Amino acid sequence: LGVAELQSGDVVFAVNAAEASGGRSIFLFRVTPDGALATGWGDADGKVEVVFGYADADNADFPGAAVEDFVWDLQVDRSVDTDRVVVFGNGSASDGTRTDTDRYITRLVISDTGAETDSTFNGGEAFSFNAAGTLGDNQRRGIVQADGKIVGAGYTNLGGDIRHHVMLIRLNVDG
């Protein structure tokens, strides 16, 4: 659900993938301008997992049935001269008790060998937001402004007769 041309000319794309454990994870792949997988990037399959609250390897620690991370958008951060991307999505709550959905935004530094969570963004963790109680928070699209600030758009289902409300979040450069 996300494709972004890096400043280096390569392309990174994001996919939602079913896990053998029953959950769902987000993975990034990198391809060269000619469409070939970038050699030596990511794991043996050429992918990097994007972790919101729980990594695939940590699913057993999740209090619900399975971790369900979902990517909705991927944008390049052009406020710096290096390759950075911002991933927008929703996923399982990360507080260890709730099993509802929260919105997530994370920034990754792209290198020749993979992608790492940017340590200068939200203390090196994905930013998450829970609007109210155990209702569904759903991040959809986003933009990275020229100065590196991030705007995320989505909705929150407040339940009952209230239902869906549009939610905008604007984050400073440091998350």
Side-chain angles (χ1 to χ4, degrees):
L1 288 174
V3 177
E5 181 180 7
L6 300 174
Q7 296 177 99
S8 64
D10 285 359
V11 172
V12 172
F13 61 94
V15 301
N16 299 303
E19 302 165 353
S21 62
R24 184 177 53 229
S25 287
I26 300 165
F27 293 103
L28 297 182
F29 292 86
R30 183 175 184 168
V31 295
T32 62
D34 64 358
L37 280 175
T39 304
W41 197 81
D43 66 10
D45 296 323
K47 68 184 184 308
V48 171
E49 183 179 6
V50 177
V51 177
F52 285 159
Y54 289 85
D56 183 23
D58 300 326
N59 280 359
D61 296 331
F62 183 65
V67 175
E68 296 280 335
D69 289 340
F70 199 90
V71 62
W72 279 100
D73 202 2
L74 176 70
Q75 296 289 322
V76 173
D77 178 355
R78 298 189 189 283
S79 70
V80 294
D81 292 334
T82 56
D83 283 328
R84 290 195 313 200
V85 297
V86 178
V87 181
F88 301 86
N90 53 276
S92 301
S94 64
D95 67 2
T97 58
R98 290 182 297 112
T99 58
D100 62 311
T101 302
D102 286 348
R103 69 184 68 243
Y104 286 89
I105 300 171
T106 192
R107 187 170 64 208
L108 303 172
V109 176
I110 305 295
S111 69
D112 290 339
T113 58
E116 297 288 332
T117 304
D118 186 343
S119 63
T120 67
F121 180 80
N122 196 39
E125 300 289 328
F127 171 85
S128 66
F129 184 78
N130 173 36
T134 58
L135 303 170
D137 290 301
N138 296 280
Q139 176 63 45
R140 289 299 190 258
R141 304 293 180 208
I143 60 169
V144 180
Q145 297 178 309
D147 63 359
K149 292 179 180 143
I150 299 167
V151 179
Y155 67 92
T156 295
N157 182 343
L158 296 175
D161 293 335
I162 299 172
R163 302 291 299 156
H164 295 81
H165 280 63
V166 173
M167 298 282 293
L168 293 175
I169 295 173
R170 185 170 186 234
L171 301 176
N172 289 324
V173 174
D174 62 2

